[in-house]
Amino acid sequence: LLLDAIGTTMLATGIGLVIALVAGVGLAALMDFWPWARRALYPLLVASQTIQILAIAPILVIWFGFGLAPTVSIVVLFCFFPIALNTFAGLQSADPELLSLLRAMGARSRQVWLKARLPAALPSFFAGLRIAATYSVVGAIFGEYITAQRGLGVFLKRSYSSYRLDQAYLAILLTAVLSL
């Protein structure tokens, strides 16, 4: 029973993390390429973090139904922000002298991005990915606790409702191990 719950949780974690990774890096690149996109999207990105996931979880259930989809969407919401923000900050941290040198040598904006901005963003990207990977397991369990019929979050909820604190402690310990 526990192995099935872990498998379901890790499936939601993996799918949500990949979606957040693609969307976060894509949005960071979009904001880096076009200043108008940065001015329009960056405030929305920061403001989105003031919304509590608990408040919008019922809306996700209405949109996606019960099962894997709302859990994955909660994982995406947990993971998207650190990936997007850290990647964008890394892209903006490229050495100005290197950028000037590449432009003086006739490099196109795509070449400048690939040779200078992207490599400069990698440490920040991986820092955001590390944070997001840790959040992803917690997000999946949170999503399962609220919306799902299977997974470690459901196991935890059932353990609490049946006063099986030993099982609840085991689920909490597994959450920590899976997050690592």
Side-chain angles (χ1 to χ4, degrees):
L1 185 66
L2 194 55
L3 289 176
D4 182 51
I6 291 171
T8 302
T9 300
M10 294 312 292
L11 178 66
T13 298
I15 293 170
L17 188 58
V18 167
I19 292 170
L21 182 69
V22 170
V25 170
L27 184 69
L30 179 76
M31 291 189 312
D32 187 51
F33 274 120
W34 292 295
W36 59 267
R38 175 177 45 247
R39 288 189 301 272
L41 297 175
Y42 191 80
L44 294 174
L45 184 64
V46 173
S48 72
Q49 292 307 292
T50 63
I51 300 170
Q52 294 292 323
I53 302 291
L54 182 62
I56 62 172
I59 296 170
L60 296 174
V61 173
I62 292 169
W63 285 349
F64 299 118
F66 290 95
L68 192 63
T71 303
V72 167
S73 64
I74 289 172
V75 172
V76 170
L77 289 173
F78 265 81
C79 298
F80 174 76
F81 181 75
I83 292 173
L85 195 63
N86 282 348
T87 303
F88 177 68
L91 289 168
Q92 294 293 301
S93 71
D95 183 13
E97 292 179 10
L98 179 59
L99 297 175
S100 296
L101 175 66
L102 287 171
R103 286 188 192 113
M105 294 176 68
R108 296 183 177 164
S109 60
R110 180 174 168 229
Q111 291 172 319
V112 170
W113 198 81
L114 288 173
K115 302 279 185 195
R117 289 194 180 275
L118 187 61
L122 289 178
S124 296
F125 163 75
F126 282 114
L129 182 60
R130 186 178 347 173
I131 293 167
T134 303
Y135 285 173
S136 65
V137 175
V138 174
I141 290 171
F142 180 74
E144 290 167 351
Y145 195 87
I146 293 174
T147 66
Q149 289 97 17
R150 295 176 43 196
L152 205 51
V154 175
F155 182 83
L156 185 63
K157 186 196 297 189
R158 288 182 183 157
S159 298
Y160 282 140
S161 64
S162 64
Y163 299 104
R164 294 292 313 262
L165 293 182
D166 56 333
Q167 290 180 355
Y169 287 135
L170 177 62
I172 292 168
L173 179 67
L174 285 172
T175 301
V177 169
L178 293 173
S179 293
L180 290 174

